[in-house]
Amino acid sequence: IASALDIIADESTLKNDMGEVLAIKSSDDDIQKILYNLFYDVLNIEFNLWPWVRNLAKYGDFFLKLEIAEKFGVYNILPYTAYHMERIEGMDEENPNDVKFRYDRDGISMSGYGNVMPTLQNINKNDIILDNYEVAHFRLLSDMNLVPYGRSMLEPARKIFKSYVLLEDAMMIHRIVRAPEKRMFYINVGSIPPNEVEQFMQKTINQMKKTPYVGDDGQYNLKFNMQNMMEDFYLPVRGGDTSTRIETTKGLDYDGTADVQYLQAKLFAALKIPKAYFGYEGDLNGKATLAAEDIRFARTVERIQKIIESELTKIALVHLYTQGFEGESLTNFEVKLTTPSVIYEQEKVALLKEKIDLAAQMKDSKMFSVIFSAIKQIP
């Protein structure tokens, strides 16, 4: 599970060909310089973005408290987990679309409100109410039952993971307890009186084998330990079976690994991460299979990146607005994270190339006129 979160964070924060985690584009050089200073110098996004994405994938929600100064913009950030922040929507009757955030130092606790939902009027005095522009709320909106909060990427795998761990532990215990081979010693007691058989057997056992163990006094003891599961069986025989012989009992063959592998496959499917990323290359049939899984995983990472880009854009808007930018200049920029999959990008290029080739073939076959093509190119 921890490896899955690391992989998601790694794939979401790749560097582009310019060595940048976040690409910032703007036709205004001043805006571009301001935003580069904000993200790389103030927010230190090259170091901080990785843990942000990991926490977002783990909890489904991640909050950043923006510390803002007039005319200077965002000068610092404070990361908060979902345990301390609550999103409040629709509590203001005059403005139903208003969004505020409640920060609880001791963690979110609704016990103080009883059956009454918290409103802006009955919020505890110790809580801190933050406006929408003061908080960047990263959330994975995939389950409408959890709105206005997101859903963790680990949520589909929680039940499977618990079953997987239990079955794996059961397999290990079963193997340890039942796997060892044991020997059965059939000892001929001959005409020894019944009341002396036990003493004779004990004497024989002590002569044949001694099992070391640590006694109650903490000392190393070599006497026979009846509770040791590695011990052999000693059986007295008499009558028609007069021979003394030794037989070996086979250890139990355990085939429960198939059940473990079944749950393991379900766990990989729930995490939506290719097995090859965890070192299971043996499960791949060829490069085409890896390419197909890589593209599917790239789409998952791309969805996370768009959520990150959306909230980073909000931070940039707040920063520019406090520095006096308004109107069209306020939105004259674009932030973009690096595409997570080279194969995914190659597929796009190949598709675009096929479209161009198809258009050229249609033109050569005179399916539409050149004049029509020229008219379409006129602005």
Side-chain angles (χ1 to χ4, degrees), residues 230-255:
M230 301 291 291
E231 275 298 339
D232 301 321
F233 300 103
Y234 295 85
L235 305 175
V237 295
R238 70 168 69 197
D241 191 359
T242 58
S243 61
T244 298
R245 68 184 188 277
I246 301 173
E247 294 182 358
T248 301
T249 60
K250 186 179 179 182
L252 183 67
D253 293 332
Y254 185 77
D255 57 352

PDB file of all heavy atoms in Angstrom, residues 230-255:
ATOM      1  N   MET A 230       8.314 -30.079  17.133  1.00  0.00           N
ATOM      2  CA  MET A 230       9.266 -30.788  16.285  1.00  0.00           C
ATOM      3  C   MET A 230       9.561 -32.193  16.813  1.00  0.00           C
ATOM      4  O   MET A 230      10.296 -32.947  16.199  1.00  0.00           O
ATOM      5  CB  MET A 230      10.587 -29.997  16.225  1.00  0.00           C
ATOM      6  CG  MET A 230      10.458 -28.591  15.686  1.00  0.00           C
ATOM      7  SD  MET A 230      10.062 -28.568  13.940  1.00  0.00           S
ATOM      8  CE  MET A 230      11.603 -29.196  13.266  1.00  0.00           C
ATOM      9  N   GLU A 231       8.987 -32.550  17.966  1.00  0.00           N
ATOM     10  CA  GLU A 231       9.294 -33.835  18.573  1.00  0.00           C
ATOM     11  C   GLU A 231       8.708 -34.997  17.772  1.00  0.00           C
ATOM     12  O   GLU A 231       7.693 -34.855  17.097  1.00  0.00           O
ATOM     13  CB  GLU A 231       8.753 -33.879  20.004  1.00  0.00           C
ATOM     14  CG  GLU A 231       9.709 -33.277  21.025  1.00  0.00           C
ATOM     15  CD  GLU A 231      11.029 -34.029  21.099  1.00  0.00           C
ATOM     16  OE1 GLU A 231      11.082 -35.200  20.678  1.00  0.00           O
ATOM     17  OE2 GLU A 231      12.011 -33.433  21.559  1.00  0.00           O
ATOM     18  N   ASP A 232       9.359 -36.127  17.894  1.00  0.00           N
ATOM     19  CA  ASP A 232       8.897 -37.348  17.243  1.00  0.00           C
ATOM     20  C   ASP A 232       7.937 -38.102  18.161  1.00  0.00           C
ATOM     21  O   ASP A 232       7.742 -37.749  19.332  1.00  0.00           O
ATOM     22  CB  ASP A 232      10.097 -38.228  16.886  1.00  0.00           C
ATOM     23  CG  ASP A 232      11.056 -37.506  15.951  1.00  0.00           C
ATOM     24  OD1 ASP A 232      10.570 -36.794  15.064  1.00  0.00           O
ATOM     25  OD2 ASP A 232      12.283 -37.662  16.133  1.00  0.00           O
ATOM     26  N   PHE A 233       7.347 -39.156  17.602  1.00  0.00           N
ATOM     27  CA  PHE A 233       6.427 -39.999  18.367  1.00  0.00           C
ATOM     28  C   PHE A 233       7.118 -41.303  18.750  1.00  0.00           C
ATOM     29  O   PHE A 233       7.784 -41.933  17.914  1.00  0.00           O
ATOM     30  CB  PHE A 233       5.168 -40.310  17.540  1.00  0.00           C
ATOM     31  CG  PHE A 233       4.407 -39.076  17.128  1.00  0.00           C
ATOM     32  CD1 PHE A 233       4.496 -38.593  15.836  1.00  0.00           C
ATOM     33  CD2 PHE A 233       3.602 -38.414  18.028  1.00  0.00           C
ATOM     34  CE1 PHE A 233       3.803 -37.467  15.450  1.00  0.00           C
ATOM     35  CE2 PHE A 233       2.907 -37.285  17.649  1.00  0.00           C
ATOM     36  CZ  PHE A 233       3.007 -36.806  16.360  1.00  0.00           C
ATOM     37  N   TYR A 234       6.944 -41.718  20.002  1.00  0.00           N
ATOM     38  CA  TYR A 234       7.517 -42.973  20.488  1.00  0.00           C
ATOM     39  C   TYR A 234       6.362 -43.857  20.967  1.00  0.00           C
ATOM     40  O   TYR A 234       5.657 -43.504  21.915  1.00  0.00           O
ATOM     41  CB  TYR A 234       8.501 -42.709  21.629  1.00  0.00           C
ATOM     42  CG  TYR A 234       9.717 -41.915  21.194  1.00  0.00           C
ATOM     43  CD1 TYR A 234       9.679 -40.532  21.143  1.00  0.00           C
ATOM     44  CD2 TYR A 234      10.885 -42.570  20.828  1.00  0.00           C
ATOM     45  CE1 TYR A 234      10.787 -39.805  20.737  1.00  0.00           C
ATOM     46  CE2 TYR A 234      12.007 -41.851  20.429  1.00  0.00           C
ATOM     47  CZ  TYR A 234      11.952 -40.469  20.374  1.00  0.00           C
ATOM     48  OH  TYR A 234      13.049 -39.770  19.973  1.00  0.00           O
ATOM     49  N   LEU A 235       6.181 -45.001  20.302  1.00  0.00           N
ATOM     50  CA  LEU A 235       5.037 -45.869  20.567  1.00  0.00           C
ATOM     51  C   LEU A 235       5.519 -47.259  20.978  1.00  0.00           C
ATOM     52  O   LEU A 235       6.262 -47.916  20.225  1.00  0.00           O
ATOM     53  CB  LEU A 235       4.143 -45.980  19.322  1.00  0.00           C
ATOM     54  CG  LEU A 235       3.650 -44.650  18.728  1.00  0.00           C
ATOM     55  CD1 LEU A 235       2.885 -44.905  17.437  1.00  0.00           C
ATOM     56  CD2 LEU A 235       2.789 -43.902  19.725  1.00  0.00           C
ATOM     57  N   PRO A 236       5.132 -47.712  22.153  1.00  0.00           N
ATOM     58  CA  PRO A 236       5.506 -49.088  22.562  1.00  0.00           C
ATOM     59  C   PRO A 236       4.637 -50.122  21.856  1.00  0.00           C
ATOM     60  O   PRO A 236       3.429 -49.913  21.680  1.00  0.00           O
ATOM     61  CB  PRO A 236       5.260 -49.077  24.067  1.00  0.00           C
ATOM     62  CG  PRO A 236       4.198 -48.045  24.262  1.00  0.00           C
ATOM     63  CD  PRO A 236       4.404 -46.993  23.207  1.00  0.00           C
ATOM     64  N   VAL A 237       5.236 -51.225  21.405  1.00  0.00           N
ATOM     65  CA  VAL A 237       4.491 -52.300  20.733  1.00  0.00           C
ATOM     66  C   VAL A 237       4.902 -53.636  21.351  1.00  0.00           C
ATOM     67  O   VAL A 237       6.015 -53.799  21.849  1.00  0.00           O
ATOM     68  CB  VAL A 237       4.752 -52.314  19.207  1.00  0.00           C
ATOM     69  CG1 VAL A 237       4.230 -51.051  18.553  1.00  0.00           C
ATOM     70  CG2 VAL A 237       6.250 -52.490  18.927  1.00  0.00           C
ATOM     71  N   ARG A 238       3.981 -54.561  21.305  1.00  0.00           N
ATOM     72  CA  ARG A 238       4.273 -55.935  21.759  1.00  0.00           C
ATOM     73  C   ARG A 238       3.297 -56.884  21.081  1.00  0.00           C
ATOM     74  O   ARG A 238       2.409 -56.438  20.351  1.00  0.00           O
ATOM     75  CB  ARG A 238       4.167 -56.031  23.269  1.00  0.00           C
ATOM     76  CG  ARG A 238       2.747 -55.913  23.793  1.00  0.00           C
ATOM     77  CD  ARG A 238       2.670 -56.297  25.260  1.00  0.00           C
ATOM     78  NE  ARG A 238       3.347 -55.330  26.103  1.00  0.00           N
ATOM     79  CZ  ARG A 238       3.708 -55.574  27.349  1.00  0.00           C
ATOM     80  NH1 ARG A 238       3.518 -56.793  27.862  1.00  0.00           N
ATOM     81  NH2 ARG A 238       4.282 -54.661  28.078  1.00  0.00           N
ATOM     82  N   GLY A 239       3.434 -58.122  21.358  1.00  0.00           N
ATOM     83  CA  GLY A 239       2.546 -59.111  20.764  1.00  0.00           C
ATOM     84  C   GLY A 239       3.072 -59.577  19.427  1.00  0.00           C
ATOM     85  O   GLY A 239       4.262 -59.854  19.260  1.00  0.00           O
ATOM     86  N   GLY A 240       2.173 -59.626  18.415  1.00  0.00           N
ATOM     87  CA  GLY A 240       2.559 -60.129  17.102  1.00  0.00           C
ATOM     88  C   GLY A 240       3.597 -59.264  16.429  1.00  0.00           C
ATOM     89  O   GLY A 240       4.442 -59.754  15.682  1.00  0.00           O
ATOM     90  N   ASP A 241       3.535 -57.931  16.661  1.00  0.00           N
ATOM     91  CA  ASP A 241       4.496 -57.018  16.038  1.00  0.00           C
ATOM     92  C   ASP A 241       5.689 -56.887  16.962  1.00  0.00           C
ATOM     93  O   ASP A 241       5.723 -56.052  17.873  1.00  0.00           O
ATOM     94  CB  ASP A 241       3.836 -55.662  15.804  1.00  0.00           C
ATOM     95  CG  ASP A 241       4.690 -54.777  14.916  1.00  0.00           C
ATOM     96  OD1 ASP A 241       5.780 -55.221  14.522  1.00  0.00           O
ATOM     97  OD2 ASP A 241       4.258 -53.630  14.632  1.00  0.00           O
ATOM     98  N   THR A 242       6.686 -57.711  16.776  1.00  0.00           N
ATOM     99  CA  THR A 242       7.826 -57.770  17.695  1.00  0.00           C
ATOM    100  C   THR A 242       9.023 -56.971  17.207  1.00  0.00           C
ATOM    101  O   THR A 242      10.027 -56.882  17.912  1.00  0.00           O
ATOM    102  CB  THR A 242       8.259 -59.234  17.878  1.00  0.00           C
ATOM    103  OG1 THR A 242       8.596 -59.792  16.596  1.00  0.00           O
ATOM    104  CG2 THR A 242       7.152 -60.046  18.525  1.00  0.00           C
ATOM    105  N   SER A 243       8.977 -56.439  16.000  1.00  0.00           N
ATOM    106  CA  SER A 243      10.136 -55.729  15.454  1.00  0.00           C
ATOM    107  C   SER A 243      10.120 -54.249  15.873  1.00  0.00           C
ATOM    108  O   SER A 243       9.067 -53.631  15.970  1.00  0.00           O
ATOM    109  CB  SER A 243      10.146 -55.827  13.924  1.00  0.00           C
ATOM    110  OG  SER A 243       8.986 -55.227  13.393  1.00  0.00           O
ATOM    111  N   THR A 244      11.297 -53.733  16.117  1.00  0.00           N
ATOM    112  CA  THR A 244      11.448 -52.291  16.383  1.00  0.00           C
ATOM    113  C   THR A 244      11.751 -51.597  15.066  1.00  0.00           C
ATOM    114  O   THR A 244      12.728 -51.945  14.382  1.00  0.00           O
ATOM    115  CB  THR A 244      12.595 -52.044  17.375  1.00  0.00           C
ATOM    116  OG1 THR A 244      12.283 -52.685  18.622  1.00  0.00           O
ATOM    117  CG2 THR A 244      12.792 -50.570  17.622  1.00  0.00           C
ATOM    118  N   ARG A 245      10.948 -50.627  14.684  1.00  0.00           N
ATOM    119  CA  ARG A 245      11.113 -49.961  13.374  1.00  0.00           C
ATOM    120  C   ARG A 245      10.860 -48.452  13.516  1.00  0.00           C
ATOM    121  O   ARG A 245      10.290 -47.990  14.503  1.00  0.00           O
ATOM    122  CB  ARG A 245      10.157 -50.560  12.337  1.00  0.00           C
ATOM    123  CG  ARG A 245       8.702 -50.273  12.584  1.00  0.00           C
ATOM    124  CD  ARG A 245       7.824 -51.000  11.564  1.00  0.00           C
ATOM    125  NE  ARG A 245       6.433 -50.591  11.650  1.00  0.00           N
ATOM    126  CZ  ARG A 245       5.555 -51.082  12.513  1.00  0.00           C
ATOM    127  NH1 ARG A 245       5.947 -52.029  13.382  1.00  0.00           N
ATOM    128  NH2 ARG A 245       4.305 -50.648  12.521  1.00  0.00           N
ATOM    129  N   ILE A 246      11.286 -47.726  12.500  1.00  0.00           N
ATOM    130  CA  ILE A 246      11.130 -46.268  12.466  1.00  0.00           C
ATOM    131  C   ILE A 246      10.447 -45.880  11.159  1.00  0.00           C
ATOM    132  O   ILE A 246      10.891 -46.284  10.079  1.00  0.00           O
ATOM    133  CB  ILE A 246      12.490 -45.548  12.583  1.00  0.00           C
ATOM    134  CG1 ILE A 246      13.191 -45.941  13.876  1.00  0.00           C
ATOM    135  CG2 ILE A 246      12.311 -44.037  12.532  1.00  0.00           C
ATOM    136  CD1 ILE A 246      14.599 -45.408  13.985  1.00  0.00           C
ATOM    137  N   GLU A 247       9.382 -45.092  11.234  1.00  0.00           N
ATOM    138  CA  GLU A 247       8.660 -44.593  10.061  1.00  0.00           C
ATOM    139  C   GLU A 247       8.649 -43.061  10.085  1.00  0.00           C
ATOM    140  O   GLU A 247       8.755 -42.442  11.148  1.00  0.00           O
ATOM    141  CB  GLU A 247       7.224 -45.125  10.051  1.00  0.00           C
ATOM    142  CG  GLU A 247       7.131 -46.627   9.865  1.00  0.00           C
ATOM    143  CD  GLU A 247       5.686 -47.094   9.821  1.00  0.00           C
ATOM    144  OE1 GLU A 247       4.796 -46.236   9.968  1.00  0.00           O
ATOM    145  OE2 GLU A 247       5.469 -48.296   9.666  1.00  0.00           O
ATOM    146  N   THR A 248       8.508 -42.469   8.912  1.00  0.00           N
ATOM    147  CA  THR A 248       8.497 -41.010   8.780  1.00  0.00           C
ATOM    148  C   THR A 248       7.110 -40.542   8.345  1.00  0.00           C
ATOM    149  O   THR A 248       6.558 -41.056   7.365  1.00  0.00           O
ATOM    150  CB  THR A 248       9.540 -40.539   7.750  1.00  0.00           C
ATOM    151  OG1 THR A 248      10.830 -40.971   8.156  1.00  0.00           O
ATOM    152  CG2 THR A 248       9.531 -39.019   7.634  1.00  0.00           C
ATOM    153  N   THR A 249       6.569 -39.601   9.088  1.00  0.00           N
ATOM    154  CA  THR A 249       5.281 -38.999   8.699  1.00  0.00           C
ATOM    155  C   THR A 249       5.558 -37.783   7.833  1.00  0.00           C
ATOM    156  O   THR A 249       6.364 -36.914   8.189  1.00  0.00           O
ATOM    157  CB  THR A 249       4.475 -38.575   9.932  1.00  0.00           C
ATOM    158  OG1 THR A 249       5.229 -37.621  10.680  1.00  0.00           O
ATOM    159  CG2 THR A 249       4.157 -39.765  10.817  1.00  0.00           C
ATOM    160  N   LYS A 250       4.893 -37.691   6.734  1.00  0.00           N
ATOM    161  CA  LYS A 250       5.112 -36.607   5.781  1.00  0.00           C
ATOM    162  C   LYS A 250       4.522 -35.310   6.301  1.00  0.00           C
ATOM    163  O   LYS A 250       3.462 -35.295   6.910  1.00  0.00           O
ATOM    164  CB  LYS A 250       4.481 -36.971   4.436  1.00  0.00           C
ATOM    165  CG  LYS A 250       4.771 -35.965   3.335  1.00  0.00           C
ATOM    166  CD  LYS A 250       4.128 -36.397   2.039  1.00  0.00           C
ATOM    167  CE  LYS A 250       4.384 -35.382   0.944  1.00  0.00           C
ATOM    168  NZ  LYS A 250       3.727 -35.756  -0.324  1.00  0.00           N
ATOM    169  N   GLY A 251       5.249 -34.214   6.061  1.00  0.00           N
ATOM    170  CA  GLY A 251       4.710 -32.903   6.404  1.00  0.00           C
ATOM    171  C   GLY A 251       3.498 -32.577   5.553  1.00  0.00           C
ATOM    172  O   GLY A 251       3.347 -33.046   4.417  1.00  0.00           O
ATOM    173  N   LEU A 252       2.624 -31.736   6.066  1.00  0.00           N
ATOM    174  CA  LEU A 252       1.380 -31.412   5.378  1.00  0.00           C
ATOM    175  C   LEU A 252       1.640 -30.580   4.138  1.00  0.00           C
ATOM    176  O   LEU A 252       2.382 -29.596   4.187  1.00  0.00           O
ATOM    177  CB  LEU A 252       0.440 -30.660   6.330  1.00  0.00           C
ATOM    178  CG  LEU A 252      -0.934 -30.310   5.773  1.00  0.00           C
ATOM    179  CD1 LEU A 252      -1.732 -31.580   5.531  1.00  0.00           C
ATOM    180  CD2 LEU A 252      -1.675 -29.395   6.726  1.00  0.00           C
ATOM    181  N   ASP A 253       1.067 -30.988   3.016  1.00  0.00           N
ATOM    182  CA  ASP A 253       1.163 -30.201   1.781  1.00  0.00           C
ATOM    183  C   ASP A 253       0.107 -29.116   1.801  1.00  0.00           C
ATOM    184  O   ASP A 253      -1.096 -29.402   1.826  1.00  0.00           O
ATOM    185  CB  ASP A 253       0.963 -31.108   0.555  1.00  0.00           C
ATOM    186  CG  ASP A 253       2.106 -32.088   0.391  1.00  0.00           C
ATOM    187  OD1 ASP A 253       3.229 -31.746   0.822  1.00  0.00           O
ATOM    188  OD2 ASP A 253       1.881 -33.185  -0.142  1.00  0.00           O
ATOM    189  N   TYR A 254       0.558 -27.847   1.779  1.00  0.00           N
ATOM    190  CA  TYR A 254      -0.381 -26.720   1.851  1.00  0.00           C
ATOM    191  C   TYR A 254      -0.459 -26.046   0.488  1.00  0.00           C
ATOM    192  O   TYR A 254       0.560 -25.652  -0.087  1.00  0.00           O
ATOM    193  CB  TYR A 254       0.086 -25.720   2.912  1.00  0.00           C
ATOM    194  CG  TYR A 254      -0.888 -24.588   3.128  1.00  0.00           C
ATOM    195  CD1 TYR A 254      -2.049 -24.774   3.853  1.00  0.00           C
ATOM    196  CD2 TYR A 254      -0.637 -23.325   2.598  1.00  0.00           C
ATOM    197  CE1 TYR A 254      -2.944 -23.748   4.069  1.00  0.00           C
ATOM    198  CE2 TYR A 254      -1.529 -22.287   2.798  1.00  0.00           C
ATOM    199  CZ  TYR A 254      -2.678 -22.504   3.541  1.00  0.00           C
ATOM    200  OH  TYR A 254      -3.554 -21.471   3.731  1.00  0.00           O
ATOM    201  N   ASP A 255      -1.655 -25.925  -0.045  1.00  0.00           N
ATOM    202  CA  ASP A 255      -1.850 -25.315  -1.362  1.00  0.00           C
ATOM    203  C   ASP A 255      -2.679 -24.042  -1.258  1.00  0.00           C
ATOM    204  O   ASP A 255      -3.394 -23.675  -2.190  1.00  0.00           O
ATOM    205  CB  ASP A 255      -2.518 -26.310  -2.318  1.00  0.00           C
ATOM    206  CG  ASP A 255      -3.855 -26.810  -1.780  1.00  0.00           C
ATOM    207  OD1 ASP A 255      -4.161 -26.501  -0.612  1.00  0.00           O
ATOM    208  OD2 ASP A 255      -4.571 -27.487  -2.530  1.00  0.00           O
TER     209      ASP A 255
END
